[in-house]
Amino acid sequence: MSAIIQVQNVSKSYWRDSFEVPVLKELSLEVAQGDFLALMGPSGSGKTTLLNLIAGIDRPSQGKLIVDGTDISTLGESALAKWRSAKIGFVFQFYNLIPVLTAYENVELPLLLTKLSKAERRKHVETALGIVGLGDRMSHYPKQLSGGQEQRVAIARAIVTDPVILVADEPTGDLDKNSAEEILTLMERLNKEFHKTILIVTHDPHAAARARITRHLEKGDLIPEGV
Amino acid sequence: MKVLKLILKNPLRHKLRTALTILGIAIAVIAFGLLRTVVTAWYIGVEGASANRLITRQAVSFIFPLPYAYKDKISQVQGVKTVTFANWFGGVYIDKNQFFARIAADAETIFDVYPEFLISKEELETFKRERNSCVLGQGIARQYNLKVGDIMTLEGDIYPGNWEFIVRGIYRPRDKTTDASQMIFHWNYVNERMKEEMPERAGDVGWYIVQIEDPAKSAVISEQVDALFKNSPAETKTETERAFQQGFLSATSAIITSMNIISFVIIGIIMLVLGNTMIMAARERTREYAVFKALGFSGKHLTGLIMGESLFIAALGGGVGLALTFPIVAGFEQVIPKGFFPVFQIEPITVILAVSAAILIGIAAAIFPIHRALSTKIIDGFRFVG
């Protein structure tokens, strides 16, 4: 399969006051279309930074990032925002749903940036919520849902625009065992049934075991496969 | 429009905080409206001044009288149409708290020079015929429930003794700026009694009101009138009615300036109240704004979201405040002495200023939160712990 994600010699440093803190060091990685990749590593190893760079919400200090055929390291802010809305679905550890919007309205949010009509948007939202098994919770507010259900709404929001890549940062980090299991099963289904390329960052070996490939990071370096 | 639903829902997250902010804005708008109404009421005499009327008074001070004999001399100046005169009577009606203008005037001509005092022909004729009669402004008649035929007794102070007047007419104001709170009676009636009781004060006139044919010639006529009495024991100062009214206000200009400043300080306070609410709200939603950005929403959307919420709260507070200002001003009008502010009502300019201020405050209060939301990087937003 062709690589949908190509990370080429990417370095990333942050500045804390006048100190440069290197996070990623000339890292290269390829992810094939339809892969389900888990990134593991200790805190501060750079796994979330790598995920953020691939998702286009952070910029590399140097190197090249080609995602779905676009060199996103060269895009301006506005072009990058448009690219994200079309290509990337986000799932966060703490769900990050908007508390004053219902499940339906939360899932509809990314579609407001498209030219879809209200009826078309409704169809997409119902489909997405149906896939995550929350078709009967559309009018519920986040506080009326359990943690697992909130994360499923967040997944529905991530897939409603039919993005090519799903990125998930500790998607089960705030869930109990059963809910975490449900979310991982759902992600597996999205990968196998809907052919989404999925990247997750996790500390949990059980969660990582559900991915097809697991890569480890250590102090900003990617540990070679098989080590 | 994409974020309209959120604009309407966001203020409901902290209902108490939003309600208190709206209440704060409403109270400030009421205070602003009330202060501005007092300021405009103060200036109403200037607004109601006629361009074709001149006032001739004693050059040294308004409180010194002029001789009655000046009337005929002033009448002969070219361009003068009618000359009438008046005297501040003072006196007490019921008690000292009941304040309104009591004027001893030339009954024959006073209503010719003040066409904005609308009185029926019959009432005017009766008034002219009866020396101890008076005409009341509609506002005074209503306040004291007086009607034609009633007797009013004044206890004199400048003109000692008890003075009885029969109400023979009630005049209506022609314009909104017309003073309908005066009591007008015969100068002759007062003067006759002065001749008997205090002859040295007989024949004194407070000021002359000179109606001219062409307002453009007011300066020339003023000079000509004053020239008539130059080097006499009672030199005159003639000026337009507007200048005369403004001269009165200059004595209180510091108070009016203070009130004007306070009314605008209040606007500043509202801005701080709303600004504080918006800054807190934006800070709490730092993570949400990062989510919006990650999902592809642009700075334009976030600006609309924050600005919309700020304007929505400002408009609600301003609307509530403005709606309450009308009955509160009306209530004030009932309790303040009628003669103190002849016209006490909310002027359109006050409404325009309050609405404009609410809009400006809505915009200003959103600027800092918008800047913060736009300048915070997505990854920093996700890391933010509020």
Side-chain angles (χ1 to χ4, degrees):
Chain A
M1 266 191 217
S2 62
I4 193 170
I5 299 167
Q6 296 171 60
V7 181
Q8 298 173 357
N9 298 315
V10 163
S11 297
K12 176 71 187 177
S13 301
Y14 291 112
W15 287 89
R16 295 281 175 264
D17 299 322
S18 56
F19 298 102
E20 189 179 7
V21 182
V23 182
L24 296 177
K25 298 166 195 166
E26 293 188 0
L27 187 146
S28 293
L29 170 74
E30 286 199 349
V31 180
Q33 186 153 18
D35 254 351
F36 186 169
L37 173 77
L39 290 169
M40 291 192 76
S43 294
S45 60
K47 52 192 189 303
T48 295
T49 300
L50 179 58
L51 193 80
N52 290 340
L53 291 172
I54 292 168
I57 58 174
D58 200 0
R59 288 177 179 281
S61 303
Q62 65 178 62
K64 215 171 185 182
L65 277 158
I66 300 168
V67 183
D68 197 31
T70 304
D71 183 356
I72 61 168
S73 47
T74 61
L75 293 180
E77 280 304 320
S78 157
L80 194 60
K82 270 187 188 164
W83 177 85
R84 277 196 307 268
S85 67
K87 304 287 183 183
I88 307 288
F90 291 91
V91 180
F92 308 98
Q93 181 180 355
F94 299 111
Y95 334 128
N96 287 337
L97 299 177
I98 310 298
V100 288
L101 298 181
T102 62
Y104 178 93
E105 290 164 343
N106 265 289
V107 177
E108 192 189 21
L109 265 184
L111 295 178
L112 295 176
L113 298 171
T114 67
K115 288 178 179 167
L116 294 176
S117 68
K118 198 175 175 183
E120 288 168 322
R121 289 203 303 268
R122 170 162 282 277
K123 203 173 155 190
H124 280 69
V125 173
E126 284 173 353
T127 304
L129 280 168
I131 289 169
V132 300
L134 288 175
D136 56 343
R137 295 279 192 277
M138 286 199 286
S139 57
H140 286 56
Y141 286 91
K143 67 179 176 190
Q144 297 168 322
L145 300 170
S146 68
Q149 286 172 327
E150 279 195 75
Q151 193 60 300
R152 282 196 273 157
V153 173
I155 291 171
R157 182 178 66 186
I159 62 171
V160 73
T161 53
D162 196 23
V164 287
I165 299 165
L166 275 185
V167 295
D169 192 355
E170 300 280 6
T172 58
D174 199 44
L175 297 175
D176 61 65
K177 198 178 165 190
N178 289 340
S179 299
E181 198 59 36
E182 280 175 16
I183 295 301
L184 291 168
T185 305
L186 179 59
M187 295 191 94
E188 261 183 336
R189 191 179 155 220
L190 290 171
N191 175 246
K192 285 179 183 162
E193 211 174 299
F194 296 92
H195 311 295
K196 299 291 173 200
T197 303
I198 300 179
L199 270 77
I200 67 166
V201 161
T202 183
H203 277 100
D204 179 7
H206 296 290
R210 305 292 285 268
R212 254 192 266 177
I213 307 161
T214 301
R215 299 297 303 269
H216 289 81
L217 278 104
E218 186 97 34
K219 293 179 182 174
D221 288 322
L222 202 57
I223 295 171
E225 283 179 278
V227 176
Chain B
M1 292 307 283
K2 292 183 193 306
V3 291
L4 185 63
K5 195 179 278 182
L6 262 176
I7 289 171
L8 300 177
K9 283 188 168 187
N10 272 339
L12 300 174
R13 292 186 192 213
H14 293 279
K15 292 186 183 73
L16 181 64
R17 186 169 74 194
T18 305
L20 289 174
T21 305
I22 289 170
L23 187 68
I25 294 170
I27 290 170
V29 167
I30 291 167
F32 175 79
L34 206 52
L35 278 175
R36 295 292 315 167
T37 301
V38 170
V39 171
T40 50
W42 217 294
Y43 280 105
I44 211 81
V46 178
E47 296 299 317
S50 170
N52 68 349
R53 281 196 296 257
L54 305 178
I55 303 293
T56 300
R57 62 168 174 90
Q58 231 272 10
V60 176
S61 169
F62 175 71
I63 61 167
F64 296 117
L66 291 170
Y68 171 71
Y70 283 12
K71 181 175 185 266
D72 288 340
K73 286 185 181 175
I74 297 171
S75 302
Q76 284 162 17
V77 173
Q78 200 175 3
V80 170
K81 195 175 167 190
T82 313
V83 179
T84 190
F85 55 87
N87 230 354
W88 183 262
F89 182 83
V92 176
Y93 179 63
I94 304 174
D95 60 56
K96 283 187 177 176
N97 293 324
Q98 313 306 315
F99 179 82
F100 54 88
R102 292 142 203 158
I103 308 286
D106 179 19
E108 286 301 319
T109 51
I110 190 81
F111 285 96
D112 297 338
V113 176
Y114 286 96
E116 65 266 40
F117 292 176
L118 304 175
I119 183 169
S120 73
K121 204 175 168 186
E122 294 74 28
E123 285 182 350
L124 183 59
E125 287 308 315
T126 314
F127 168 62
K128 284 180 180 176
R129 273 199 311 273
E130 290 185 32
R131 207 161 250 217
N132 63 339
S133 66
C134 70
V135 172
L136 297 178
Q138 195 178 52
I140 290 298
R142 280 185 185 156
Q143 186 180 1
Y144 297 103
N145 197 25
L146 291 164
K147 52 193 182 301
V148 173
D150 287 349
I151 291 174
M152 285 179 83
T153 304
L154 300 184
E155 187 190 332
D157 40 23
I158 303 170
Y159 297 91
N162 277 339
W163 300 78
E164 274 197 355
F165 300 94
I166 306 168
V167 179
R168 285 303 180 204
I170 290 167
Y171 75 84
R172 289 170 290 112
R174 186 189 62 192
D175 309 311
K176 270 171 43 174
T177 53
T178 303
D179 181 358
S181 65
Q182 294 191 23
M183 178 190 186
I184 298 165
F185 43 85
H186 290 243
W187 176 85
N188 281 338
Y189 178 56
V190 177
N191 197 49
E192 287 299 322
R193 196 158 146 184
M194 285 293 104
K195 278 180 188 169
E196 289 172 17
E197 296 175 8
M198 302 171 86
E200 71 279 7
R201 288 177 62 186
D204 283 351
V205 165
W207 64 94
Y208 286 97
I209 304 119
V210 183
Q211 191 178 38
I212 56 175
E213 283 161 356
D214 183 3
K217 291 179 178 161
S218 60
V220 178
I221 295 171
S222 296
E223 277 178 25
Q224 286 175 350
V225 169
D226 292 342
L228 288 174
F229 311 109
K230 199 152 188 169
N231 300 320
S232 71
E235 290 191 354
T236 59
K237 182 180 178 183
T238 304
E239 57 195 341
T240 60
E241 192 176 55
R242 174 175 282 264
F244 177 73
Q245 297 279 8
Q246 277 170 337
F248 262 116
L249 292 180
S250 65
T252 53
S253 65
I255 299 170
I256 299 170
T257 305
S258 305
M259 289 173 93
N260 256 326
I261 292 169
I262 292 167
S263 68
F264 286 101
V265 166
I266 287 169
I267 298 295
I269 293 169
I270 315 173
M271 200 167 75
L272 292 177
V273 169
L274 182 59
N276 187 45
T277 299
M278 289 311 300
I279 287 167
M280 279 198 283
R283 188 179 160 81
E284 287 160 5
R285 294 176 206 151
T286 303
R287 188 181 277 262
E288 276 177 36
Y289 295 147
V291 173
F292 275 104
K293 284 186 190 174
L295 293 179
F297 283 84
S298 64
K300 195 174 71 181
H301 292 119
L302 288 184
T303 301
L305 188 64
I306 300 167
M307 183 71 79
E309 184 177 345
S310 183
L311 282 171
F312 179 60
I313 294 173
L316 261 181
V320 170
L322 209 52
L324 290 175
T325 303
F326 283 91
I328 287 171
V329 166
F332 257 78
E333 195 190 7
Q334 297 303 313
V335 295
I336 52 173
K338 262 285 172 289
F340 201 75
F341 290 123
V343 179
F344 193 75
Q345 58 189 20
I346 300 169
E347 292 294 310
I349 186 69
T350 301
V351 176
I352 292 167
L353 277 173
V355 170
S356 309
I359 293 168
L360 278 174
I361 285 160
I363 293 169
I367 289 172
F368 181 74
I370 287 171
H371 172 72
R372 193 168 183 275
L374 298 189
S375 59
T376 305
K377 288 181 182 171
I378 298 174
I379 51 162
D380 293 333
F382 284 135
R383 285 194 201 117
F384 181 81
V385 181

